Amino acid sequence: MNKPSNTTSQNPQPDIDVITVAQGEVIAVRGSVVDVMFTGKLPAVRNLLKLEKSDDGNAAILLEVQTQLDAKRVRAIALTPTAGLSRGAAIQDTGGPLTAPVGPEILSRMFDVFGNAIDQLPQPKNVEWRSVHNVPPLLSSRSTKTEVFSTGIKVIDLLVPLERGGKTGLFGGAGVGKTVLLTEMIHNMIGHHNGVSIFCGIGERCREGEELHREMKEAGVLKDMVMLFGQMNELPGSRFRVGHAALTMAEYFRDDEQRDVLLLVDNIFRFIQAGSEVSGLMGQMPSRLGYQPTLSTELAQLEERIANTEAGAITSIQAVYVPADDFTDPAAVHTFSHLSASIALSRKRASEGLFPAVDPLQSHSKMLTPSIVGERHYHLAQLARQTLAKYEDLKDIIAMLGLEQLSQNDRKVVSRARQLERFLTQPFFTTGQFSGMQGATVSLEDTLDGCERILNDEFSTYSESALYMIGRVDEANKTKEQPTNAE
């Protein structure tokens, strides 16, 4: 993971035919923005330009054409550091866009945006190189089946059921548990998900990538997994394309091998942020709150490729950082519109020790209808949400006057809601080394059974802490003391 991003001398992008491609000359370098003049045919927008070796002897420099300035000049954005690049340097047009490796040999491997192996293993040989820029599947080829995708996490399966082949967003500010929830989903899904998992790290810290690779290897699930990383220290042009490269790999497994794909993206906000940086570097006028004017289009070009077809499904779970916990931020608003389920993580619940810190009132799923999940599940989910909403309304009264001033019925509602909140917490396998608790995977039937019994006051004589951080409701211990961080 710590391999520097300027090692593209080993870049396995397809070789250039120097006889047929255009030759150009650098006429201006402004940081990551490079203007190149061509005497012959002008490269197309999105074409990759290459300088084999810079003046200071560093590795090859790769640029992507963003716009054609006139009949002879193009403006490109650097995908690798431009140190050593100077005016007059000879540039070659590769004749095509950035490509990604696809094929059975990429399984269990870790790559960067250029297809370089970054797991300290030899570069895979028998692979095909495909453009990272593809169009979404036609509406006529998409599947119309609707299925629920079970995660084994109680609060999600009950209140925010996921869709097979759908797009799910994990929304939250910094430090509320997006990455932890994402890795727990990987752990839980590997057992009953027989397809391929692709993890795409956009703007990730190298520490997080190394830890995830090690954990997946120890769990024995790396054989059906591919990892791609555009690290935090890399240039915005590189981070902006790593999501497209991951989708090219996902489309290969879906269309060519007809396998289901689980695509995990951490973090889609970093994709938007990289696009904003590229837009600023190119001199485009920013729109609201400084975002690029093309935010909606760029996000749609990525999201619409995630789709179900008759051949297979790409199910996507995406972490979305919410700046300053503001859900009206344009990045969050535009991402919301593409999703079939939105899981909002709450800093307040995290501070109360209620993990996973899913906000049951702000999270929602299009799958939660009687015709899809069934009457019992729908009814229990609505009842649980109403109970928690009523408790939220009563919190101000409790804070001012105390619990004793509530009516008998309201006190029962508060008791049920607090027990539900504790029951919907869950020990995770991925945090067992920190919490000292054995992780638990809970079936949907056990989750529904537990909620039904709590709402029917079967546990009214139990302390709230008896239901805290357990799996099935039968594990509740009547004599368990209340932990201090659960209040």
Side-chain angles (χ1 to χ4, degrees):
M1 269 311 288
N2 292 318
K3 186 176 183 180
S5 57
N6 65 349
T7 55
T8 47
S9 56
Q10 300 176 13
N11 178 14
Q13 296 288 318
D15 292 334
I16 306 169
D17 183 350
V18 293
I19 299 172
T20 58
V21 298
Q23 304 285 321
E25 180 182 305
V26 174
I27 56 173
V29 183
R30 292 182 295 277
S32 295
V33 181
V34 181
D35 289 356
V36 185
M37 179 176 284
F38 286 84
T39 52
K41 182 184 176 185
L42 214 56
V45 172
R46 289 182 175 171
N47 266 22
L48 206 61
L49 309 181
K50 188 172 185 179
L51 172 71
E52 286 297 345
K53 197 166 278 286
S54 57
D55 289 351
D56 60 0
N58 278 344
I61 293 173
L62 293 172
L63 315 169
E64 185 181 71
V65 176
Q66 294 291 312
T67 182
Q68 297 179 341
L69 297 174
D70 53 36
K72 291 186 176 180
R73 296 181 303 147
V74 297
R75 180 161 290 166
I77 196 85
L79 303 184
T80 57
T82 54
L85 186 63
S86 60
R87 289 184 182 182
I91 292 277
Q92 296 171 335
D93 174 18
T94 63
L98 181 68
T99 56
V102 297
E105 281 198 25
I106 68 171
L107 287 172
S108 80
R109 302 301 303 274
M110 184 159 63
F111 300 95
D112 65 11
V113 68
F114 306 106
N116 292 313
I118 54 173
D119 51 6
Q120 299 179 340
L121 293 173
Q123 190 71 28
K125 299 256 191 288
N126 300 319
V127 293
E128 181 187 344
W129 292 86
R130 294 187 183 175
S131 168
V132 302
H133 304 288
N134 293 322
V135 294
L138 298 171
L139 285 173
S140 57
S141 66
R142 300 198 181 201
S143 171
T144 55
K145 292 178 184 174
T146 305
E147 294 177 52
V148 172
F149 198 71
S150 179
T151 65
I153 299 171
K154 290 181 285 191
V155 66
I156 293 174
D157 288 345
L158 174 70
L159 298 173
V160 204
L162 309 189
E163 179 186 5
R164 175 184 171 270
K167 296 185 273 281
T168 301
L170 300 179
F171 290 83
V176 293
K178 295 184 299 300
T179 303
V180 169
L181 192 54
L182 206 60
T183 51
E184 184 70 11
M185 285 184 178
I186 298 172
H187 182 282
N188 291 359
M189 289 174 185
I190 292 298
H192 57 261
H193 174 75
N194 298 320
V196 176
S197 296
I198 296 178
F199 184 91
C200 175
I202 305 176
E204 283 288 273
R205 300 166 185 85
C206 61
R207 167 185 59 78
E208 293 173 332
E210 190 276 329
E211 285 173 359
L212 184 66
H213 184 266
R214 190 176 66 247
E215 286 168 8
M216 295 300 107
K217 192 172 183 178
E218 288 171 359
V221 300
L222 206 56
K223 63 182 177 63
D224 287 317
M225 196 167 186
V226 186
M227 294 186 184
L228 256 92
F229 287 95
Q231 289 174 211
M232 190 173 274
N233 64 305
E234 293 180 17
L235 295 181
S238 175
R239 284 182 274 122
F240 188 54
R241 291 302 179 209
V242 71
H244 297 95
L247 269 167
T248 295
M249 293 178 176
E251 287 163 346
Y252 162 79
F253 287 111
R254 180 193 67 194
D255 301 334
D256 292 44
E257 296 203 0
Q258 300 192 349
R259 298 174 71 178
D260 281 358
V261 182
L262 177 62
L263 176 65
L264 303 126
V265 183
D266 187 11
N267 182 312
I268 205 72
F269 174 78
R270 305 289 178 209
F271 167 77
I272 293 170
Q273 194 176 44
S276 178
E277 290 179 51
V278 169
S279 175
L281 287 166
M282 295 302 294
Q284 293 179 341
M285 183 73 72
S287 63
R288 193 160 67 93
L289 296 186
Y291 287 104
Q292 64 269 41
T294 51
L295 186 157
S296 180
T297 305
E298 289 169 356
L299 188 61
Q301 285 172 344
L302 185 78
E303 295 281 6
E304 289 304 299
R305 289 170 64 183
I306 303 170
N308 269 6
T309 66
E310 296 301 331
I314 299 177
T315 302
S316 173
I317 300 172
Q318 309 165 11
V320 187
Y321 168 70
V322 180
D325 293 340
D326 178 13
F327 283 87
T328 63
D329 187 271
V333 170
H334 283 288
T335 307
F336 266 124
S337 62
H338 292 280
L339 306 173
S340 54
S342 301
I343 302 170
L345 300 179
S346 159
R347 192 173 303 281
K348 185 173 182 296
R349 294 177 74 80
S351 68
E352 293 172 354
L354 300 173
F355 294 107
V358 176
D359 188 327
L361 304 181
Q362 277 197 302
S363 305
H364 63 87
S365 169
K366 294 174 183 174
M367 301 293 284
L368 195 59
T369 62
S371 59
I372 296 173
V373 298
E375 288 286 350
R376 178 174 178 242
H377 183 169
Y378 176 76
H379 173 71
L380 282 171
Q382 292 301 98
L383 199 56
R385 194 166 268 150
Q386 286 167 14
T387 303
L388 294 167
K390 179 72 173 170
Y391 174 45
E392 196 64 34
D393 291 341
L394 292 170
K395 277 184 178 177
D396 287 341
I397 298 173
I398 295 168
M400 288 186 291
L401 304 176
L403 192 64
E404 297 74 20
Q405 300 302 314
L406 297 180
S407 67
Q408 194 65 33
N409 282 341
D410 283 349
R411 279 193 225 175
K412 283 185 178 179
V413 167
V414 170
S415 175
R416 285 185 211 123
R418 289 180 66 86
Q419 286 192 334
L420 264 179
E421 281 184 337
R422 270 67 184 167
F423 175 63
L424 293 177
T425 61
Q426 191 166 337
F428 280 178
F429 290 96
T430 50
T431 57
Q433 57 185 330
F434 309 115
S435 65
M437 289 184 278
Q438 176 64 35
T441 305
V442 186
S443 69
L444 176 60
E445 189 53 44
D446 286 336
T447 300
L448 295 178
D449 177 60
C451 289
E452 191 170 42
R453 291 169 66 183
I454 289 169
L455 290 168
N456 289 337
D457 292 332
E458 278 191 40
F459 294 89
S460 56
T461 57
Y462 283 60
S463 70
E464 294 164 4
S465 59
L467 297 161
Y468 179 72
M469 283 293 172
I470 61 172
R472 294 181 301 111
V473 77
D474 292 331
E475 296 171 22
N477 183 350
K478 199 168 187 177
T479 59
K480 187 178 176 184
E481 292 182 5
Q482 181 77 22
T484 53
N485 67 340
E487 284 295 348

